[in-house]
Amino acid sequence: SDSGSDSGSEDSSLSDSELQEAFARGALKPGLNVVLEERPKRRNDTDGLKQCLAEFRQQLTWVERLDVTLGPVADPVSQSASTADAVDPENDFQREMSFYRQAQAAVLEALPRLRKLQVPTRRPDDYFAEMAKSDQQMQKIRQKLKSKQEAMERSEKAKQLRAMRKYGKKVQVEILQRRQKEKKNMLNAVKKYQKGLSDKLDFLDEEQTSAQGNKKGSASQRTKKGPNAKRRYKNQKFGFGGKKKGSKWNTKESFNDVSSFQSKVAHNKGPRKAGKGGKKALNKRPGKRARQKMKNRAR
C-alpha cells in the first residue's frame, strides 16, 4: 500500500511538471487555464492628484461659468434664512422649500449680473425651436388622445342612459303603486258601502270631479288653440255656415209659434203634389214585421 501511494504521488508530480512545461511552451489552448495577476498596491499619490486638479481648473470669466453658490433666501414669514440644521430631511415639504429658496437666492444674485453684462435672459417672441418628437409621432399621440376622449364620452353617455332608464323605471313603479293603492282604497270603500258600514259615496264624487276636471282642461286647451290660418282664410272666403248639428231642434219660441201650421197639409187633406209623394206615398211598402205577419197568415 505504501508503494502504491508513492507511485501515485510520483505520477501526479510528473503530470504537473509536464503541464507546466507545456504551458511555458505555449502548447496549451486558451481557456483551460487562467493566469491570476497580482493586485496593484494602493497608494496615495498626492502630487498626481494635485496635477490633475490643476489641469481641470481653468481660469475662465464668470459669464462662461455661470456658477452661483449661495444659501437659501430669507423666509418672508419668519424673516430669517432657514439653515440646513433647521430643515428636517424626512419632511418633503420643508426639503423642497429649502431647494426652492436656494434657487430663488441664486436667481436674485445672477440676474442683475447678467443684465450688467448685457446678456439676454428672456426668450424672444419669434423664437422657434424644433420639437424633439416628429410630426408623425405627435399625430399618433393626438389620435390616441382623441380615441381616449371619445371612449370617455361614450362611457359617460351610456352611464347617463342607464341613469335615465333607472329613473324611468322608478317613476313607472311609483305610478303603478299609486294606482294600485287608489284601486285598493276604492274597493275597500265599495265593500264597506255594500256591508252597510258606511253610507257615504264620496269616492264616486271624487272620481267624477277628477274626470270633469280632465274634460274641462282638455276643452280649455282646444278653445285656446283655435283654427289655423288655412281654416280662417276659407271661412273668410266662403263664409261660415254655422252650426249644422241640432239645427232642426225645437226651441221654446218655435214651439209656441203656430202661425205656419196648416191642418190640411198636416193630415193629408190638402192637394197632393206629384213630385213629393202623391200616389207613391199612398202605396207605401209595409214594414218588415208587417210583411212577416202577412206571410204567417197566408200559411
Side-chain angles (χ1 to χ4, degrees):
S1 62
D2 293 338
S3 61
S5 62
D6 293 339
S7 62
S9 60
E10 289 177 358
D11 294 339
S12 63
S13 62
L14 289 174
S15 62
D16 291 341
S17 61
E18 290 175 358
L19 286 173
Q20 290 176 1
E21 291 176 359
F23 180 72
R25 292 195 307 268
L28 295 179
K29 294 181 180 180
L32 295 176
N33 297 280
V34 179
V35 180
L36 297 177
E37 298 179 357
E38 295 182 0
R39 293 183 180 180
K41 295 181 180 180
R42 297 180 180 179
R43 57 182 179 176
N44 188 10
D45 190 3
T46 309
D47 297 335
L49 292 174
K50 288 182 179 180
Q51 184 180 355
C52 291
L53 182 61
E55 292 176 359
F56 290 155
R57 185 179 296 167
Q58 296 179 358
Q59 299 297 331
L60 299 176
T61 58
W62 179 83
V63 72
E64 296 292 338
R65 294 180 285 109
L66 295 178
D67 55 342
V68 179
T69 305
L70 292 172
V73 74
D75 192 354
V77 179
S78 60
Q79 297 297 331
S80 63
S82 58
T83 59
D85 298 335
V87 177
D88 184 10
E90 300 297 332
N91 192 341
D92 296 340
F93 181 75
Q94 290 184 3
R95 188 173 64 252
E96 294 297 330
M97 284 302 297
S98 65
F99 295 157
Y100 171 76
R101 295 194 182 284
Q102 190 171 4
Q104 188 178 8
V107 169
L108 294 175
E109 175 69 22
L111 275 179
R113 295 174 67 177
L114 290 172
R115 289 171 184 168
K116 189 175 181 180
L117 295 172
Q118 297 181 357
V119 177
T121 58
R122 288 182 177 273
R123 180 180 294 176
D125 297 335
D126 57 348
Y127 179 80
F128 176 77
E130 187 176 356
M131 296 182 64
K133 295 183 179 180
S134 61
D135 295 340
Q136 290 81 3
Q137 183 69 15
M138 294 302 297
Q139 190 69 20
K140 289 181 181 178
I141 295 172
R142 193 177 294 109
Q143 291 292 338
K144 188 173 183 180
L145 292 175
K146 186 177 179 181
S147 61
K148 189 174 181 181
Q149 185 178 2
E150 290 177 354
M152 291 176 64
E153 289 178 356
R154 287 196 298 269
S155 176
E156 189 67 24
K157 191 174 181 180
K159 192 183 294 182
Q160 291 179 0
L161 288 174
R162 286 196 297 270
M164 290 174 64
R165 288 197 196 99
K166 191 180 293 183
Y167 179 73
K169 288 182 180 178
K170 184 179 178 182
V171 171
Q172 188 176 6
V173 169
E174 289 178 356
I175 291 173
L176 292 175
Q177 289 178 354
R178 189 175 70 249
R179 289 179 179 174
Q180 290 177 359
K181 186 177 180 181
E182 292 176 356
K183 185 177 180 181
K184 186 176 180 181
N185 295 334
M186 174 69 70
L187 292 175
N188 292 335
V190 170
K191 287 180 181 178
K192 287 182 180 179
Y193 181 78
Q194 289 176 350
K195 293 179 180 180
L197 300 176
S198 175
D199 56 349
K200 295 181 180 180
L201 297 175
D202 298 337
F203 54 91
L204 297 177
D205 297 338
E206 291 176 359
E207 283 190 352
Q208 291 177 0
T209 51
S210 62
Q212 289 177 0
N214 294 332
K215 288 182 180 179
K216 287 181 180 179
S218 59
S220 62
Q221 290 175 1
R222 287 196 300 271
T223 53
K224 285 181 180 178
K225 188 175 181 181
N228 54 12
K230 187 176 180 181
R231 182 72 265 168
R232 289 197 300 269
Y233 173 74
K234 286 188 176 182
N235 292 342
Q236 183 180 2
K237 185 177 180 181
F238 301 107
F240 187 70
K243 185 179 179 182
K244 299 292 188 298
K245 188 175 180 181
S247 60
K248 295 184 179 181
W249 289 357
N250 280 334
T251 60
K252 186 177 182 180
E253 289 78 10
S254 65
F255 179 76
N256 294 328
D257 186 13
V258 293
S259 58
S260 60
F261 177 74
Q262 297 179 4
S263 59
K264 294 181 179 180
V265 175
H267 298 291
N268 289 326
K269 294 181 179 180
R272 299 183 182 91
K273 295 181 180 179
K276 280 193 175 182
K279 293 182 179 180
K280 289 184 179 180
L282 293 176
N283 297 330
K284 188 176 180 181
R285 184 186 181 190
K288 183 176 181 181
R289 186 170 295 176
R291 295 198 306 272
Q292 191 69 27
K293 289 182 179 179
M294 290 168 65
K295 286 182 181 181
N296 295 334
R297 289 174 185 173
R299 290 175 185 174

